[in-house]
Amino acid sequence: MKINKNFLDLKDSYLFSTVAKKIKAYQEQNPGVEIYRLGIGDVTMPLVPAVIKAIHDATDEMAQKSTFRGYGPEQGYDFLREEIAKYYQRTKKVTLDMDEIFISDGAKSDLGNILDILDPSNKVLIPDPVYPAYVDTNVMAGRKIDTAEGNQSNSFKPMPDKNYKADIIYLCSPNNPTGAVYTHAELKAWVDYANECKALIIFDSAYEAFVGDPTLPRSIFEIEGARTCAIEFCSFSKTAGFTGTRCGYTVVPKELVFDNTKLNSLWNRRQCTKFNGVPYIIQKGAQAVFSEEGFKQIMENIAYYKENARIIHEGLEKKGIWHIGGINSPYIWLKCPNGMTSWEYFDHLLTKANVVGTPGAGFGNMGEGYFRLTAFGDREKTIEAVKRIIALS
Ligand code: PLP
């Protein structure tokens, strides 16, 4: 028996454990001190009432023989797929067939699972800095990874290099950790490049609901030509507080054909073999997100987080700290002042202001010297944290 040795090539993920250790050590040395957390990547608002009611009602259905449900469709129930299709039409003017939508237990699972249907020899292009799961899942599969560098001069939105040919391209917009959002023209350049190279774009739109600017795209399928080169991964986690409840969806257009094979059929085959669907109760909760009151309620929560983001943005602006994000995204990405490294700035904020954020170096080499703040915290604490950052020399 041999293990998959590719796992031994994974870099240890020290980021959040080191953050937690540093906070614990500081609190032990300074008992009773209040810590202001602007590093949380998880939501803090509870599920909205419409979702809770739907989950309760579905639980009651499961308690009656006449309404009990066992295995559901591997692709998800039609009642939820229909709502997602209507949502795309209404908010993005994108028409999807119901069987292009696959309900998942979250974007992270499918972002990893999709590699099952793609050959290990593919050349992968991943932006840096970015959500670390893209790199790790490809390392596990033994793929060669090239990076598309984000930096201040491209506003952390790397663009295609015509001299380089990728097979698989990852894009995340709005981006974690930078909060950067690609414009239509920028995404069009990626779509044209992918179609030219015959590459596949893995598009992560987990934060699409935070885009308020109507001129910015919220789905890769708003871009002409994307149906022949992209798969989109989306989630109810940040949109509707499902981080612990687990539900998302993956859109695989029928026009996606590689090696004379439809990726939609391949993915369907993969799902039917390895996945038995998301619980009925959870899918009923997700369906309620699209009801009139459910949608209003989730948008109120998003508005709360976005106001936190605005407060952080305004504070950094006043202080003259270079930053992006925070307007159409829950993340704010800043340049560490006075040439500090991202861990130096972490220690500085923790010990001098009792504020915690996330060092940019944890998201890739290009994140060194930068820092991520998040808007998922409590309003009062966010206001206090920003005051403390501003007061620092
Ligand atoms: N994609 C990005 C960019 C994320 O930041 C996250 C979570 O933080 C995910 C995907 C995971 O989403 P889910 O909770 O649906 O698995």
Side-chain angles (χ1 to χ4, degrees), residues 150-166:
N151 49 44
Q152 271 178 250
S153 52
N154 62 20
S155 305
F156 287 91
K157 290 188 283 184
M159 294 304 293
D161 172 358
K162 296 267 149 66
N163 300 315
Y164 169 89
K165 190 200 163 304

PDB file of all heavy atoms in Angstrom, residues 150-166:
ATOM      1  N   GLY A 150      -0.554  39.136  -8.421  1.00  0.00           N
ATOM      2  CA  GLY A 150      -1.301  40.344  -8.102  1.00  0.00           C
ATOM      3  C   GLY A 150      -0.371  41.307  -7.380  1.00  0.00           C
ATOM      4  O   GLY A 150       0.474  40.883  -6.585  1.00  0.00           O
ATOM      5  N   ASN A 151      -0.488  42.589  -7.702  1.00  0.00           N
ATOM      6  CA  ASN A 151       0.335  43.589  -7.020  1.00  0.00           C
ATOM      7  C   ASN A 151      -0.376  44.939  -7.118  1.00  0.00           C
ATOM      8  O   ASN A 151      -1.449  45.036  -7.739  1.00  0.00           O
ATOM      9  CB  ASN A 151       1.748  43.655  -7.627  1.00  0.00           C
ATOM     10  CG  ASN A 151       1.679  43.768  -9.142  1.00  0.00           C
ATOM     11  OD1 ASN A 151       0.876  44.546  -9.667  1.00  0.00           O
ATOM     12  ND2 ASN A 151       2.476  42.996  -9.849  1.00  0.00           N
ATOM     13  N   GLN A 152       0.240  45.969  -6.503  1.00  0.00           N
ATOM     14  CA  GLN A 152      -0.441  47.274  -6.502  1.00  0.00           C
ATOM     15  C   GLN A 152      -0.631  47.808  -7.915  1.00  0.00           C
ATOM     16  O   GLN A 152      -1.630  48.451  -8.198  1.00  0.00           O
ATOM     17  CB  GLN A 152       0.337  48.270  -5.649  1.00  0.00           C
ATOM     18  CG  GLN A 152      -0.118  48.227  -4.210  1.00  0.00           C
ATOM     19  CD  GLN A 152       0.661  49.174  -3.327  1.00  0.00           C
ATOM     20  OE1 GLN A 152       1.432  48.727  -2.515  1.00  0.00           O
ATOM     21  NE2 GLN A 152       0.460  50.469  -3.488  1.00  0.00           N
ATOM     22  N   SER A 153       0.332  47.540  -8.804  1.00  0.00           N
ATOM     23  CA  SER A 153       0.192  48.160 -10.123  1.00  0.00           C
ATOM     24  C   SER A 153      -0.934  47.527 -10.948  1.00  0.00           C
ATOM     25  O   SER A 153      -1.506  48.198 -11.808  1.00  0.00           O
ATOM     26  CB  SER A 153       1.511  48.209 -10.888  1.00  0.00           C
ATOM     27  OG  SER A 153       2.074  46.954 -10.925  1.00  0.00           O
ATOM     28  N   ASN A 154      -1.282  46.257 -10.681  1.00  0.00           N
ATOM     29  CA  ASN A 154      -2.473  45.734 -11.381  1.00  0.00           C
ATOM     30  C   ASN A 154      -3.683  45.686 -10.445  1.00  0.00           C
ATOM     31  O   ASN A 154      -4.659  44.972 -10.705  1.00  0.00           O
ATOM     32  CB  ASN A 154      -2.200  44.381 -12.064  1.00  0.00           C
ATOM     33  CG  ASN A 154      -1.813  43.268 -11.082  1.00  0.00           C
ATOM     34  OD1 ASN A 154      -2.084  43.349  -9.899  1.00  0.00           O
ATOM     35  ND2 ASN A 154      -1.168  42.235 -11.591  1.00  0.00           N
ATOM     36  N   SER A 155      -3.625  46.455  -9.356  1.00  0.00           N
ATOM     37  CA  SER A 155      -4.706  46.522  -8.356  1.00  0.00           C
ATOM     38  C   SER A 155      -5.121  45.126  -7.884  1.00  0.00           C
ATOM     39  O   SER A 155      -6.280  44.866  -7.611  1.00  0.00           O
ATOM     40  CB  SER A 155      -5.937  47.258  -8.912  1.00  0.00           C
ATOM     41  OG  SER A 155      -5.585  48.508  -9.373  1.00  0.00           O
ATOM     42  N   PHE A 156      -4.119  44.246  -7.805  1.00  0.00           N
ATOM     43  CA  PHE A 156      -4.351  42.858  -7.377  1.00  0.00           C
ATOM     44  C   PHE A 156      -5.380  42.149  -8.256  1.00  0.00           C
ATOM     45  O   PHE A 156      -6.105  41.291  -7.794  1.00  0.00           O
ATOM     46  CB  PHE A 156      -4.697  42.793  -5.877  1.00  0.00           C
ATOM     47  CG  PHE A 156      -3.477  43.041  -5.021  1.00  0.00           C
ATOM     48  CD1 PHE A 156      -3.156  44.327  -4.597  1.00  0.00           C
ATOM     49  CD2 PHE A 156      -2.629  41.999  -4.691  1.00  0.00           C
ATOM     50  CE1 PHE A 156      -2.009  44.552  -3.851  1.00  0.00           C
ATOM     51  CE2 PHE A 156      -1.477  42.219  -3.949  1.00  0.00           C
ATOM     52  CZ  PHE A 156      -1.168  43.498  -3.519  1.00  0.00           C
ATOM     53  N   LYS A 157      -5.390  42.544  -9.546  1.00  0.00           N
ATOM     54  CA  LYS A 157      -6.230  41.836 -10.516  1.00  0.00           C
ATOM     55  C   LYS A 157      -5.327  41.401 -11.667  1.00  0.00           C
ATOM     56  O   LYS A 157      -5.236  42.087 -12.696  1.00  0.00           O
ATOM     57  CB  LYS A 157      -7.352  42.757 -11.034  1.00  0.00           C
ATOM     58  CG  LYS A 157      -8.404  43.047  -9.972  1.00  0.00           C
ATOM     59  CD  LYS A 157      -9.600  43.779 -10.544  1.00  0.00           C
ATOM     60  CE  LYS A 157      -9.340  45.236 -10.771  1.00  0.00           C
ATOM     61  NZ  LYS A 157     -10.522  45.971 -11.247  1.00  0.00           N
ATOM     62  N   PRO A 158      -4.604  40.268 -11.501  1.00  0.00           N
ATOM     63  CA  PRO A 158      -3.720  39.840 -12.591  1.00  0.00           C
ATOM     64  C   PRO A 158      -4.506  39.603 -13.883  1.00  0.00           C
ATOM     65  O   PRO A 158      -5.656  39.179 -13.827  1.00  0.00           O
ATOM     66  CB  PRO A 158      -3.101  38.539 -12.071  1.00  0.00           C
ATOM     67  CG  PRO A 158      -3.782  38.199 -10.803  1.00  0.00           C
ATOM     68  CD  PRO A 158      -4.580  39.374 -10.347  1.00  0.00           C
ATOM     69  N   MET A 159      -3.856  39.907 -15.001  1.00  0.00           N
ATOM     70  CA  MET A 159      -4.490  39.752 -16.319  1.00  0.00           C
ATOM     71  C   MET A 159      -3.729  38.688 -17.122  1.00  0.00           C
ATOM     72  O   MET A 159      -2.604  38.349 -16.785  1.00  0.00           O
ATOM     73  CB  MET A 159      -4.490  41.104 -17.052  1.00  0.00           C
ATOM     74  CG  MET A 159      -5.373  42.170 -16.401  1.00  0.00           C
ATOM     75  SD  MET A 159      -7.101  41.652 -16.201  1.00  0.00           S
ATOM     76  CE  MET A 159      -7.625  41.537 -17.901  1.00  0.00           C
ATOM     77  N   PRO A 160      -4.352  38.140 -18.182  1.00  0.00           N
ATOM     78  CA  PRO A 160      -3.688  37.066 -18.919  1.00  0.00           C
ATOM     79  C   PRO A 160      -2.394  37.503 -19.594  1.00  0.00           C
ATOM     80  O   PRO A 160      -2.287  38.643 -20.035  1.00  0.00           O
ATOM     81  CB  PRO A 160      -4.720  36.661 -19.978  1.00  0.00           C
ATOM     82  CG  PRO A 160      -5.869  37.572 -19.862  1.00  0.00           C
ATOM     83  CD  PRO A 160      -5.690  38.454 -18.702  1.00  0.00           C
ATOM     84  N   ASP A 161      -1.447  36.564 -19.661  1.00  0.00           N
ATOM     85  CA  ASP A 161      -0.185  36.789 -20.359  1.00  0.00           C
ATOM     86  C   ASP A 161      -0.246  35.964 -21.648  1.00  0.00           C
ATOM     87  O   ASP A 161      -0.282  34.728 -21.605  1.00  0.00           O
ATOM     88  CB  ASP A 161       0.954  36.306 -19.435  1.00  0.00           C
ATOM     89  CG  ASP A 161       2.303  36.308 -20.120  1.00  0.00           C
ATOM     90  OD1 ASP A 161       2.368  36.651 -21.331  1.00  0.00           O
ATOM     91  OD2 ASP A 161       3.295  35.958 -19.453  1.00  0.00           O
ATOM     92  N   LYS A 162      -0.263  36.676 -22.774  1.00  0.00           N
ATOM     93  CA  LYS A 162      -0.459  36.011 -24.081  1.00  0.00           C
ATOM     94  C   LYS A 162       0.682  35.027 -24.404  1.00  0.00           C
ATOM     95  O   LYS A 162       0.548  34.154 -25.240  1.00  0.00           O
ATOM     96  CB  LYS A 162      -0.547  37.059 -25.200  1.00  0.00           C
ATOM     97  CG  LYS A 162      -1.770  37.963 -25.057  1.00  0.00           C
ATOM     98  CD  LYS A 162      -2.970  37.452 -25.845  1.00  0.00           C
ATOM     99  CE  LYS A 162      -4.314  37.784 -25.255  1.00  0.00           C
ATOM    100  NZ  LYS A 162      -4.749  39.132 -25.184  1.00  0.00           N
ATOM    101  N   ASN A 163       1.841  35.211 -23.717  1.00  0.00           N
ATOM    102  CA  ASN A 163       2.991  34.338 -23.991  1.00  0.00           C
ATOM    103  C   ASN A 163       2.973  33.058 -23.158  1.00  0.00           C
ATOM    104  O   ASN A 163       3.921  32.273 -23.199  1.00  0.00           O
ATOM    105  CB  ASN A 163       4.306  35.086 -23.709  1.00  0.00           C
ATOM    106  CG  ASN A 163       4.413  36.296 -24.584  1.00  0.00           C
ATOM    107  OD1 ASN A 163       4.132  36.209 -25.785  1.00  0.00           O
ATOM    108  ND2 ASN A 163       4.758  37.427 -23.996  1.00  0.00           N
ATOM    109  N   TYR A 164       1.956  32.899 -22.401  1.00  0.00           N
ATOM    110  CA  TYR A 164       1.889  31.729 -21.526  1.00  0.00           C
ATOM    111  C   TYR A 164       0.582  31.004 -21.795  1.00  0.00           C
ATOM    112  O   TYR A 164      -0.471  31.629 -21.915  1.00  0.00           O
ATOM    113  CB  TYR A 164       1.961  32.189 -20.059  1.00  0.00           C
ATOM    114  CG  TYR A 164       1.648  31.101 -19.064  1.00  0.00           C
ATOM    115  CD1 TYR A 164       2.655  30.271 -18.571  1.00  0.00           C
ATOM    116  CD2 TYR A 164       0.346  30.895 -18.612  1.00  0.00           C
ATOM    117  CE1 TYR A 164       2.365  29.261 -17.663  1.00  0.00           C
ATOM    118  CE2 TYR A 164       0.045  29.894 -17.702  1.00  0.00           C
ATOM    119  CZ  TYR A 164       1.063  29.076 -17.238  1.00  0.00           C
ATOM    120  OH  TYR A 164       0.767  28.091 -16.333  1.00  0.00           O
ATOM    121  N   LYS A 165       0.628  29.679 -21.869  1.00  0.00           N
ATOM    122  CA  LYS A 165      -0.601  28.928 -22.142  1.00  0.00           C
ATOM    123  C   LYS A 165      -0.981  28.072 -20.937  1.00  0.00           C
ATOM    124  O   LYS A 165      -0.220  27.188 -20.538  1.00  0.00           O
ATOM    125  CB  LYS A 165      -0.397  28.042 -23.375  1.00  0.00           C
ATOM    126  CG  LYS A 165      -1.690  27.428 -23.843  1.00  0.00           C
ATOM    127  CD  LYS A 165      -1.500  26.213 -24.714  1.00  0.00           C
ATOM    128  CE  LYS A 165      -2.759  25.389 -24.835  1.00  0.00           C
ATOM    129  NZ  LYS A 165      -3.369  24.929 -23.598  1.00  0.00           N
ATOM    130  N   ALA A 166      -2.159  28.394 -20.378  1.00  0.00           N
ATOM    131  CA  ALA A 166      -2.646  27.612 -19.239  1.00  0.00           C
ATOM    132  C   ALA A 166      -3.702  26.617 -19.718  1.00  0.00           C
ATOM    133  O   ALA A 166      -4.301  26.794 -20.782  1.00  0.00           O
ATOM    134  CB  ALA A 166      -3.267  28.557 -18.216  1.00  0.00           C
TER     135      ALA A 166
END
